Protein backbone atom coordinates (compact mmCIF):
# COMPACT_ATOMS: atom_id res chain seq x y z
CA UNK A 1 0.00 0.00 0.00
CA UNK A 2 1.01 3.57 -0.70
CA UNK A 3 -0.30 6.76 0.84
CA UNK A 4 -0.22 10.26 -0.61
CA UNK A 5 -0.33 13.01 2.00
CA UNK A 6 -1.18 16.37 0.43
CA UNK A 7 -1.41 19.66 2.32
CA UNK A 8 -4.63 21.56 1.62
CA UNK A 9 -4.17 24.96 -0.07
CA UNK A 10 -0.66 24.88 1.37
CA UNK A 11 0.47 28.50 1.05
CA UNK A 12 -2.85 29.78 2.36
CA UNK A 13 -2.73 27.26 5.22
CA UNK A 14 0.76 28.48 6.20
CA UNK A 15 -0.54 32.05 6.45
CA UNK A 16 -3.52 30.92 8.51
CA UNK A 17 -1.32 29.09 11.05
CA UNK A 18 -0.04 32.45 12.28
CA UNK A 19 -3.26 34.39 11.65
CA UNK A 20 -6.17 32.25 12.89
CA UNK A 21 -8.57 35.14 12.25
CA UNK A 22 -8.36 34.20 8.55
CA UNK A 23 -10.20 30.91 9.13
CA UNK A 24 -13.45 30.91 7.16
CA UNK A 25 -12.45 34.00 5.19
CA UNK A 26 -11.44 33.92 1.49
CA UNK A 27 -7.64 34.12 1.18
CA UNK A 28 -5.28 34.13 -1.81
CA UNK A 29 -1.49 34.10 -2.16
CA UNK A 30 0.21 35.76 -5.12
CA UNK A 31 3.20 34.62 -7.14
CA UNK A 32 6.60 36.29 -7.31
CA UNK A 33 6.30 40.01 -8.02
CA UNK A 34 2.62 39.85 -7.00
CA UNK A 35 1.73 38.72 -10.50
CA UNK A 36 -1.00 36.08 -10.30
CA UNK A 37 -2.88 33.79 -7.92
CA UNK A 38 -0.98 30.62 -6.95
CA UNK A 39 -2.90 29.51 -3.85
CA UNK A 40 -6.57 29.93 -2.92
CA UNK A 41 -8.60 29.00 0.10
CA UNK A 42 -11.79 27.01 -0.45
CA UNK A 43 -13.78 30.20 0.17
CA UNK A 44 -11.81 31.97 -2.58
CA UNK A 45 -12.37 29.06 -4.97
CA UNK A 46 -16.12 29.33 -4.32
CA UNK A 47 -15.97 32.92 -5.62
CA UNK A 48 -14.81 31.64 -9.00
CA UNK A 49 -11.15 32.63 -8.61
CA UNK A 50 -8.92 30.40 -10.71
CA UNK A 51 -5.31 29.31 -10.32
CA UNK A 52 -3.10 31.63 -12.37
CA UNK A 53 -5.59 34.51 -12.58
CA UNK A 54 -3.62 37.78 -13.01
CA UNK A 55 -3.97 39.90 -9.91
CA UNK A 56 -4.77 43.11 -11.78
CA UNK A 57 -7.69 41.41 -13.55
CA UNK A 58 -9.35 39.98 -10.44
CA UNK A 59 -8.52 42.88 -8.12
CA UNK A 60 -12.08 44.34 -8.25
CA UNK A 61 -13.54 40.93 -7.30
CA UNK A 62 -11.04 40.54 -4.47
CA UNK A 63 -11.92 43.97 -3.09
CA UNK A 64 -15.65 43.37 -3.50
CA UNK A 65 -15.57 40.22 -1.36
CA UNK A 66 -12.87 41.47 1.04
CA UNK A 67 -10.49 38.68 0.12
CA UNK A 68 -7.27 38.66 2.17
CA UNK A 69 -4.30 38.96 -0.22
CA UNK A 70 -0.71 37.92 0.60
CA UNK A 71 2.58 38.02 -1.27
CA UNK A 72 4.58 34.79 -1.44
CA UNK A 73 6.68 34.06 1.63
CA UNK A 74 8.79 31.12 0.48
CA UNK A 75 11.07 31.13 3.52
CA UNK A 76 8.02 30.48 5.70
CA UNK A 77 6.47 27.93 3.33
CA UNK A 78 9.73 26.01 2.96
CA UNK A 79 10.21 25.75 6.71
CA UNK A 80 6.62 24.65 7.32
CA UNK A 81 7.05 22.03 4.60
CA UNK A 82 10.18 20.69 6.30
CA UNK A 83 8.24 20.31 9.55
CA UNK A 84 5.48 18.33 7.84
CA UNK A 85 7.92 16.12 5.94
CA UNK A 86 10.03 15.45 9.03
CA UNK A 87 7.01 14.10 10.88
CA UNK A 88 5.98 11.92 7.93
CA UNK A 89 9.50 10.47 7.79
CA UNK A 90 9.08 9.39 11.43
CA UNK A 91 5.90 7.38 10.88
CA UNK A 92 6.59 5.59 7.57
CA UNK A 93 9.41 3.24 6.50
CA UNK A 94 10.09 5.27 3.33
CA UNK A 95 9.00 8.69 2.07
CA UNK A 96 9.20 10.33 -1.34
CA UNK A 97 8.85 14.12 -1.15
CA UNK A 98 6.98 14.75 -4.38
CA UNK A 99 6.64 18.52 -4.01
CA UNK A 100 6.69 21.20 -1.32
CA UNK A 101 3.24 20.08 -0.11
CA UNK A 102 2.99 16.42 -1.18
CA UNK A 103 4.69 13.21 -0.09
CA UNK A 104 4.23 9.53 -0.91
CA UNK A 105 4.54 7.05 1.96
CA UNK A 106 5.45 3.40 1.44
CA UNK A 107 3.17 1.45 3.78
CA UNK A 108 4.05 -2.08 2.64
CA UNK A 109 4.13 -4.46 5.59
CA UNK A 110 2.67 -1.94 8.02
CA UNK A 111 -0.71 -3.63 8.31
CA UNK A 112 0.65 -5.92 11.03
CA UNK A 113 1.94 -3.00 13.09
CA UNK A 114 -1.03 -0.60 13.06
CA UNK A 115 -3.71 -0.97 15.71
CA UNK A 116 -6.80 -1.33 13.50
CA UNK A 117 -6.29 -0.62 9.80
CA UNK A 118 -4.40 1.65 7.46
CA UNK A 119 -7.50 3.83 7.34
CA UNK A 120 -7.15 4.49 11.06
CA UNK A 121 -3.42 5.00 10.61
CA UNK A 122 -4.03 7.59 7.86
CA UNK A 123 -6.52 9.48 10.01
CA UNK A 124 -4.04 9.49 12.90
CA UNK A 125 -1.31 10.86 10.65
CA UNK A 126 -3.65 13.55 9.38
CA UNK A 127 -4.64 14.56 12.92
CA UNK A 128 -1.03 14.63 14.11
CA UNK A 129 0.18 16.78 11.23
CA UNK A 130 -2.58 19.27 12.04
CA UNK A 131 -1.74 19.24 15.76
CA UNK A 132 2.02 19.58 15.24
CA UNK A 133 2.09 22.14 12.42
CA UNK A 134 -1.42 23.56 12.04
CA UNK A 135 -1.48 22.44 8.40
CA UNK A 136 -4.63 20.56 7.25
CA UNK A 137 -4.05 17.61 4.94
CA UNK A 138 -5.87 14.93 2.99
CA UNK A 139 -4.63 11.36 2.63
CA UNK A 140 -5.21 8.83 -0.13
CA UNK A 141 -4.27 5.18 0.52
CA UNK A 142 -4.22 2.61 -2.29
CA UNK A 143 -2.23 -0.30 -3.74
CA UNK A 144 -0.41 1.91 -6.30
CA UNK A 145 0.93 5.47 -6.43
CA UNK A 146 -1.45 6.42 -9.24
CA UNK A 147 -4.44 5.14 -7.28
CA UNK A 148 -3.17 6.88 -4.13
CA UNK A 149 -3.06 10.14 -6.09
CA UNK A 150 -6.60 9.52 -7.31
CA UNK A 151 -7.80 8.61 -3.80
CA UNK A 152 -6.27 11.81 -2.44
CA UNK A 153 -8.21 13.83 -5.00
CA UNK A 154 -11.46 12.23 -3.85
CA UNK A 155 -10.57 12.87 -0.20
CA UNK A 156 -10.27 16.56 -1.03
CA UNK A 157 -13.40 16.80 -3.16
CA UNK A 158 -15.74 14.72 -0.97
CA UNK A 159 -16.19 16.12 2.57
CA UNK A 160 -18.08 12.97 3.58
CA UNK A 161 -14.81 11.01 3.49
CA UNK A 162 -13.36 13.04 6.34
CA UNK A 163 -10.11 13.81 4.57
CA UNK A 164 -9.09 10.16 4.01
CA UNK A 165 -9.90 7.84 1.10
CA UNK A 166 -8.80 4.21 1.54
CA UNK A 167 -9.05 1.94 -1.51
CA UNK A 168 -8.45 -1.46 0.05
CA UNK A 169 -10.91 -3.53 -2.00
CA UNK A 170 -11.74 -3.98 -5.67
CA UNK A 171 -15.21 -2.56 -5.03
CA UNK A 172 -13.85 0.66 -3.51
CA UNK A 173 -11.26 0.97 -6.27
CA UNK A 174 -13.94 0.63 -8.95
CA UNK A 175 -16.15 3.18 -7.20
CA UNK A 176 -13.26 5.65 -7.01
CA UNK A 177 -12.35 5.19 -10.69
CA UNK A 178 -15.93 5.97 -11.71
CA UNK A 179 -15.87 9.26 -9.77
CA UNK A 180 -12.84 10.77 -11.53
CA UNK A 181 -12.83 12.23 -15.05
CA UNK A 182 -10.10 10.89 -17.30
CA UNK A 183 -8.42 14.31 -17.64
CA UNK A 184 -7.93 14.36 -13.84
CA UNK A 185 -5.91 11.14 -13.77
CA UNK A 186 -2.27 11.64 -12.77
CA UNK A 187 -0.26 11.46 -16.01
CA UNK A 188 -3.12 12.24 -18.42
CA UNK A 189 -2.75 15.69 -19.94
CA UNK A 190 -5.10 17.73 -22.09
CA UNK A 191 -3.99 16.20 -25.39
CA UNK A 192 -4.33 12.60 -24.20
CA UNK A 193 -7.72 13.41 -22.67
CA UNK A 194 -8.99 14.71 -26.02
CA UNK A 195 -7.89 11.49 -27.73
CA UNK A 196 -9.59 9.38 -25.07
CA UNK A 197 -12.84 11.33 -25.27
CA UNK A 198 -12.98 10.68 -29.01
CA UNK A 199 -13.05 6.91 -28.41
CA UNK A 200 -15.55 7.20 -25.56
CA UNK A 201 -13.20 6.93 -22.58
CA UNK A 202 -14.36 9.68 -20.22
CA UNK A 203 -13.58 8.36 -16.73
CA UNK A 204 -10.67 6.72 -14.94
CA UNK A 205 -12.74 3.52 -14.88
CA UNK A 206 -12.90 3.55 -18.68
CA UNK A 207 -9.16 4.09 -18.89
CA UNK A 208 -8.50 1.22 -16.47
CA UNK A 209 -10.60 -1.03 -18.69
CA UNK A 210 -8.65 -0.41 -21.91
CA UNK A 211 -6.09 -2.92 -23.15
CA UNK A 212 -2.38 -2.69 -22.59
CA UNK A 213 -1.83 -2.73 -26.36
CA UNK A 214 -4.07 0.33 -26.77
CA UNK A 215 -2.25 2.15 -23.99
CA UNK A 216 1.13 1.42 -25.55
CA UNK A 217 -0.02 2.65 -28.95
CA UNK A 218 -1.92 5.79 -27.91
CA UNK A 219 -0.62 6.83 -24.48
CA UNK A 220 3.14 7.06 -24.86
CA UNK A 221 4.31 3.47 -25.03
CA UNK A 222 5.42 1.74 -21.86
CA UNK A 223 4.56 4.82 -19.77
CA UNK A 224 0.92 4.57 -20.78
CA UNK A 225 0.87 0.84 -20.21
CA UNK A 226 2.21 1.30 -16.70
CA UNK A 227 -0.39 3.96 -15.97
CA UNK A 228 -3.22 1.62 -16.98
CA UNK A 229 -1.76 -1.23 -14.95
CA UNK A 230 -1.50 1.04 -11.90
CA UNK A 231 -5.16 2.00 -12.28
CA UNK A 232 -5.95 -1.71 -12.33
CA UNK A 233 -4.21 -2.10 -8.96
CA UNK A 234 -0.83 -3.50 -10.04
CA UNK A 235 2.09 -1.38 -8.74
CA UNK A 236 4.55 -0.49 -11.51
CA UNK A 237 6.55 2.21 -9.77
CA UNK A 238 7.96 2.53 -6.28
CA UNK A 239 9.23 5.50 -4.34
CA UNK A 240 11.93 7.36 -6.23
CA UNK A 241 13.47 10.21 -4.21
CA UNK A 242 16.38 10.34 -6.69
CA UNK A 243 18.67 8.09 -8.66
CA UNK A 244 21.16 7.68 -5.81
CA UNK A 245 18.54 7.12 -3.12
CA UNK A 246 18.89 10.58 -1.55
CA UNK A 247 16.84 13.75 -1.76
CA UNK A 248 19.63 15.59 -3.61
CA UNK A 249 18.53 17.48 -6.73
CA UNK A 250 20.03 16.74 -10.12
CA UNK A 251 19.89 20.39 -11.18
CA UNK A 252 19.41 23.71 -9.40
CA UNK A 253 17.67 26.77 -10.79
CA UNK A 254 17.17 30.20 -9.27
CA UNK A 255 15.22 32.80 -11.24
CA UNK A 256 13.03 35.79 -10.53
CA UNK A 257 10.89 38.33 -12.33
CA UNK A 258 12.12 41.86 -11.68
CA UNK A 259 9.99 44.37 -9.84
CA UNK A 260 10.50 46.76 -12.76
CA UNK A 261 12.02 46.45 -16.26
CA UNK A 262 15.80 46.94 -16.18
CA UNK A 263 17.94 48.32 -19.01
CA UNK A 264 21.21 49.11 -17.18
CA UNK A 265 23.89 46.40 -17.25
CA UNK A 266 24.99 46.92 -13.61
CA UNK A 267 21.42 46.35 -12.42
CA UNK A 268 20.97 43.10 -14.35
CA UNK A 269 24.45 41.81 -13.49
CA UNK A 270 23.64 42.46 -9.82
CA UNK A 271 20.52 40.32 -10.15
CA UNK A 272 22.35 37.51 -11.93
CA UNK A 273 25.13 37.62 -9.32
CA UNK A 274 22.60 37.38 -6.50
CA UNK A 275 20.79 34.46 -8.14
CA UNK A 276 24.08 32.64 -8.76
CA UNK A 277 25.11 33.16 -5.14
CA UNK A 278 21.87 31.64 -3.85
CA UNK A 279 22.15 28.68 -6.24
CA UNK A 280 25.75 28.08 -5.11
CA UNK A 281 24.63 28.01 -1.47
CA UNK A 282 22.03 25.34 -2.28
CA UNK A 283 24.64 23.41 -4.25
CA UNK A 284 27.05 23.30 -1.30
CA UNK A 285 24.23 22.40 1.06
CA UNK A 286 23.70 19.11 -0.77
CA UNK A 287 27.44 18.49 -1.14
CA UNK A 288 27.70 18.80 -4.93
CA UNK A 289 29.66 20.74 -7.54
CA UNK A 290 28.43 21.80 -11.01
CA UNK A 291 30.24 21.85 -14.33
CA UNK A 292 27.42 23.35 -16.44
CA UNK A 293 26.17 26.91 -15.88
CA UNK A 294 23.19 28.35 -17.77
CA UNK A 295 22.29 32.03 -17.63
CA UNK A 296 19.13 33.42 -19.24
CA UNK A 297 17.45 36.80 -19.49
CA UNK A 298 13.93 37.60 -20.71
CA UNK A 299 12.05 40.58 -22.07
CA UNK A 300 8.35 41.26 -21.67
CA UNK A 301 6.14 39.44 -24.15
CA UNK A 302 3.65 42.27 -23.92
CA UNK A 303 5.97 45.17 -24.73
CA UNK A 304 6.96 46.70 -28.04
CA UNK A 305 10.16 44.68 -28.41
CA UNK A 306 10.07 42.04 -31.17
CA UNK A 307 10.77 38.35 -30.45
CA UNK A 308 12.72 36.39 -29.37
CA UNK A 309 11.72 37.28 -25.84
CA UNK A 310 14.28 35.12 -24.06
CA UNK A 311 17.92 34.26 -24.68
CA UNK A 312 20.31 31.97 -22.83
CA UNK A 313 23.84 30.66 -22.90
CA UNK A 314 25.39 27.50 -21.44
CA UNK A 315 28.96 27.51 -20.19
CA UNK A 316 30.90 24.31 -19.56
CA UNK A 317 33.23 24.92 -16.63
CA UNK A 318 36.78 23.55 -16.83
CA UNK A 319 36.33 21.87 -13.45
CA UNK A 320 33.10 21.27 -11.55
CA UNK A 321 32.82 23.77 -8.70
CA UNK A 322 30.53 25.06 -5.96
CA UNK A 323 32.65 28.17 -5.33
CA UNK A 324 30.42 31.25 -5.26
CA UNK A 325 33.22 33.51 -6.46
CA UNK A 326 34.02 31.32 -9.47
CA UNK A 327 30.38 30.76 -10.40
CA UNK A 328 29.54 34.46 -10.18
CA UNK A 329 32.57 35.29 -12.32
CA UNK A 330 31.44 32.85 -15.00
CA UNK A 331 27.85 34.11 -14.78
CA UNK A 332 29.06 37.65 -15.48
CA UNK A 333 30.98 36.35 -18.51
CA UNK A 334 27.82 34.66 -19.79
CA UNK A 335 25.70 37.77 -19.26
CA UNK A 336 28.16 39.92 -21.22
CA UNK A 337 27.72 37.58 -24.19
CA UNK A 338 23.93 37.80 -23.91
CA UNK A 339 23.71 41.52 -23.29
CA UNK A 340 21.91 43.71 -25.83
CA UNK A 341 22.06 47.47 -25.17
CA UNK A 342 18.84 49.50 -25.02
CA UNK A 343 16.73 46.42 -24.20
CA UNK A 344 14.37 46.27 -21.23
CA UNK A 345 14.70 43.00 -19.31
CA UNK A 346 12.02 41.73 -16.97
CA UNK A 347 13.46 38.41 -15.75
CA UNK A 348 16.74 36.56 -15.31
CA UNK A 349 17.82 33.22 -13.97
CA UNK A 350 20.68 30.79 -13.41
CA UNK A 351 20.69 27.00 -13.69
CA UNK A 352 23.42 24.69 -12.39
CA UNK A 353 23.60 21.23 -13.98
CA UNK A 354 26.01 18.38 -14.47
CA UNK A 355 26.21 17.90 -10.72
CA UNK A 356 28.96 15.77 -9.20
CA UNK A 357 29.89 15.03 -5.58
CA UNK A 358 32.20 17.73 -4.27
CA UNK A 359 35.81 16.55 -4.10
CA UNK A 360 35.24 13.94 -6.82
CA UNK A 361 35.03 16.26 -9.81
CA UNK A 362 36.68 15.29 -13.09
CA UNK A 363 39.83 17.41 -13.43
CA UNK A 364 40.85 19.32 -16.52
CA UNK A 365 43.94 18.16 -18.38
CA UNK A 366 45.69 21.46 -17.68
CA UNK A 367 44.44 22.04 -14.16
CA UNK A 368 47.06 21.57 -11.42
CA UNK A 369 44.42 20.21 -9.02
CA UNK A 370 40.99 20.76 -7.52
CA UNK A 371 39.90 23.92 -5.75
CA UNK A 372 42.38 25.14 -3.21
CA UNK A 373 41.89 24.09 0.35
CA UNK A 374 41.74 27.73 1.43
CA UNK A 375 38.91 28.56 -1.00
CA UNK A 376 36.90 25.52 0.08
CA UNK A 377 37.33 26.50 3.71
CA UNK A 378 36.33 30.07 2.88
CA UNK A 379 33.03 28.90 1.37
CA UNK A 380 32.34 26.72 4.40
CA UNK A 381 32.96 29.66 6.75
CA UNK A 382 30.74 31.91 4.63
CA UNK A 383 27.87 29.41 4.81
CA UNK A 384 28.33 28.97 8.56
CA UNK A 385 28.22 32.72 9.19
CA UNK A 386 25.09 33.15 7.08
CA UNK A 387 23.36 30.27 8.85
CA UNK A 388 24.22 31.70 12.24
CA UNK A 389 23.55 35.40 11.66
CA UNK A 390 21.01 35.31 8.85
CA UNK A 391 20.93 35.01 5.07
CA UNK A 392 23.05 37.63 3.30
CA UNK A 393 25.08 38.64 6.37
CA UNK A 394 28.30 37.94 4.43
CA UNK A 395 28.16 38.28 0.66
CA UNK A 396 30.19 39.31 -2.36
CA UNK A 397 30.91 42.97 -2.98
CA UNK A 398 28.96 42.72 -6.26
CA UNK A 399 25.79 42.25 -4.22
CA UNK A 400 26.29 45.14 -1.81
CA UNK A 401 23.99 48.17 -1.98
CA UNK A 402 24.11 51.59 -0.33
CA UNK A 403 22.51 51.67 3.11
CA UNK A 404 18.75 52.13 2.85
CA UNK A 405 18.61 51.32 -0.86
CA UNK A 406 16.84 48.22 -2.14
CA UNK A 407 18.00 46.23 -5.14
CA UNK A 408 16.49 47.58 -8.38
CA UNK A 409 15.66 44.04 -9.46
CA UNK A 410 13.86 43.18 -6.22
CA UNK A 411 10.32 41.99 -6.98
CA UNK A 412 7.19 43.53 -5.55
CA UNK A 413 5.90 41.98 -2.35
CA UNK A 414 3.47 44.48 -0.87
CA UNK A 415 1.69 41.99 1.38
CA UNK A 416 4.46 39.61 2.48
CA UNK A 417 4.12 38.41 6.06
CA UNK A 418 7.06 38.01 8.47
CA UNK A 419 9.30 34.93 8.37
CA UNK A 420 7.92 33.73 11.67
CA UNK A 421 9.91 30.50 11.94
CA UNK A 422 13.27 31.32 10.35
CA UNK A 423 14.11 34.89 11.39
CA UNK A 424 14.56 35.91 15.01
CA UNK A 425 13.41 39.48 14.36
CA UNK A 426 10.12 38.12 12.98
CA UNK A 427 9.36 35.83 15.90
CA UNK A 428 5.64 35.94 16.66
CA UNK A 429 4.83 37.84 19.86
CA UNK A 430 1.76 36.88 21.87
CA UNK A 431 0.42 39.36 24.40
Amino acid sequence: MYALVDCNNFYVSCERVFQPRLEGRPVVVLSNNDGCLISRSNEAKALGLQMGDPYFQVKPLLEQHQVAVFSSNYALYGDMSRRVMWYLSQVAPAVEIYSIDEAFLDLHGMERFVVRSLDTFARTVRANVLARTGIPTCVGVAPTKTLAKLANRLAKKNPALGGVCYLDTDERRQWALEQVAVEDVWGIGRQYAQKLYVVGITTAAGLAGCSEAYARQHLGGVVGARLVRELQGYPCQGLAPSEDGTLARRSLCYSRTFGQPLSAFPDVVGAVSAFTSRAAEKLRRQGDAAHLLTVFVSKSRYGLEPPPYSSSIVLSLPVATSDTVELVRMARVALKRLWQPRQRYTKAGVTLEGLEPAGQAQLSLFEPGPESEKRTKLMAELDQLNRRFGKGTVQLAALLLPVGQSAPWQGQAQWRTPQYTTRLEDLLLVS
Side-chain angles (χ1 to χ4, degrees):
M1 283 288 182
Y2 293 94
L4 177 64
V5 181
D6 187 6
C7 301
N8 300 343
N9 312 320
F10 181 59
Y11 294 170
V12 167
S13 296
C14 290
E15 299 291 351
R16 281 177 165 173
V17 168
F18 300 94
Q19 301 186 66
R21 59 184 174 80
L22 297 175
E23 289 291 342
R25 179 181 172 186
V27 182
V28 297
V29 175
L30 305 180
S31 63
N32 282 322
N33 214 25
D34 293 344
C36 57
L37 276 57
I38 58 172
S39 184
R40 305 154 295 150
S41 67
N42 291 335
E43 297 82 3
K45 294 175 183 178
L47 296 176
L49 296 168
Q50 301 297 319
M51 181 71 77
D53 280 348
Y55 171 68
F56 75 92
Q57 288 186 355
V58 298
K59 184 178 179 181
L61 182 62
L62 297 175
E63 293 177 344
Q64 176 186 351
H65 294 280
Q66 298 182 333
V67 179
V69 179
F70 294 96
S71 302
S72 299
N73 187 344
Y74 295 118
L76 175 65
Y77 308 152
D79 187 64
M80 295 300 290
S81 174
R82 283 189 290 272
R83 296 177 184 217
V84 173
M85 301 306 170
W86 181 87
Y87 169 72
L88 296 179
S89 69
Q90 305 304 302
V91 298
V95 176
E96 176 187 344
I97 300 177
Y98 184 66
S99 67
I100 192 172
D101 62 344
E102 289 181 271
F104 285 102
L105 312 183
D106 189 345
L107 305 182
H108 287 85
M110 287 194 62
E111 292 88 343
R112 71 187 70 177
F113 299 110
V114 297
V115 177
R116 295 182 181 176
S117 67
L118 290 180
D119 179 79
T120 304
F121 169 79
R123 296 183 187 278
T124 301
V125 167
R126 182 171 182 265
N128 286 343
V129 170
L130 182 63
R132 289 167 175 262
T133 66
I135 303 296
T137 59
C138 284
V139 185
V141 183
T144 70
K145 291 174 69 177
T146 303
L147 283 174
K149 187 83 171 178
L150 184 144
N152 185 279
R153 179 180 181 84
L154 290 175
K156 280 190 172 183
K157 299 293 183 180
N158 190 345
L161 295 175
V164 174
C165 183
Y166 181 32
L167 306 182
D168 59 333
T169 65
D170 290 340
E171 291 75 15
R172 289 186 179 180
R173 179 178 62 83
Q174 186 63 29
W175 168 83
L177 292 172
E178 292 171 354
Q179 307 302 310
V180 177
V182 69
E183 63 267 23
D184 295 327
V185 174
W186 187 37
I188 297 294
R190 184 181 303 173
Q191 293 184 350
Y192 281 151
Q194 291 175 351
K195 292 181 180 180
L196 293 169
Y197 267 89
V198 170
V199 297
I201 299 177
T202 61
T203 66
L207 182 59
C210 74
S211 67
E212 184 175 334
Y214 177 87
R216 284 180 176 271
Q217 183 177 356
H218 299 283
L219 299 177
V222 67
V223 175
R226 288 175 178 171
L227 189 152
V228 170
R229 292 287 288 171
E230 288 240 331
L231 290 177
Q232 294 171 348
Y234 302 101
C236 298
Q237 53 179 327
L239 301 192
S242 68
E243 291 180 349
D244 60 356
T246 71
L247 296 176
R249 303 176 185 176
R250 286 168 283 183
S251 67
L252 287 164
C253 180
Y254 197 95
S255 64
R256 289 291 184 271
T257 300
F258 305 147
Q260 57 184 334
L262 301 178
S263 57
F265 181 77
D267 293 340
V268 180
V269 79
V272 170
S273 298
F275 300 163
T276 306
S277 179
R278 290 288 295 122
E281 289 177 11
K282 294 181 179 181
L283 189 63
R284 291 193 295 273
R285 193 180 304 155
Q286 69 178 39
D288 283 338
H291 68 77
L292 289 178
L293 170 68
T294 302
V295 176
F296 70 87
V297 289
S298 302
K299 300 178 292 186
S300 173
R301 295 177 176 270
Y302 309 104
L304 300 177
E305 294 89 349
Y309 300 109
S310 184
S311 55
S312 64
I313 188 169
V314 181
L315 297 182
S316 181
L317 308 180
V319 177
T321 181
S322 61
D323 188 331
T324 298
V325 177
E326 180 64 16
L327 290 171
V328 168
R329 184 180 71 82
M330 297 302 292
R332 291 168 69 96
V333 170
L335 184 61
K336 287 180 180 178
R337 297 184 187 178
L338 291 173
W339 186 256
Q340 298 178 11
R342 295 181 295 279
Q343 297 292 329
R344 291 162 58 85
Y345 294 101
T346 59
K347 184 178 182 179
V350 175
T351 303
L352 301 177
E353 298 174 291
L355 305 189
E356 304 173 359
Q360 303 179 27
Q362 178 68 47
L363 301 181
S364 168
L365 177 63
F366 302 104
E367 284 289 328
E371 296 174 338
S372 69
E373 198 173 311
K374 288 184 178 180
R375 183 61 66 82
T376 303
K377 185 176 180 181
L378 174 64
M379 292 297 106
E381 293 292 338
L382 184 146
D383 292 338
Q384 184 177 353
L385 287 170
N386 286 331
R387 282 195 298 268
R388 181 177 179 183
F389 297 105
K391 183 175 65 177
T393 300
V394 181
Q395 54 187 337
L396 301 185
L399 309 180
L400 294 178
L401 297 167
V403 177
Q405 180 178 330
S406 60
W409 48 266
Q410 195 72 42
Q412 299 178 25
Q414 300 181 54
W415 305 284
R416 180 177 295 162
T417 50
Q419 299 173 18
Y420 299 106
T421 63
T422 57
R423 192 167 183 265
L424 189 60
E425 294 83 352
D426 293 342
L427 188 65
L428 188 65
L429 300 178
V430 179
S431 58

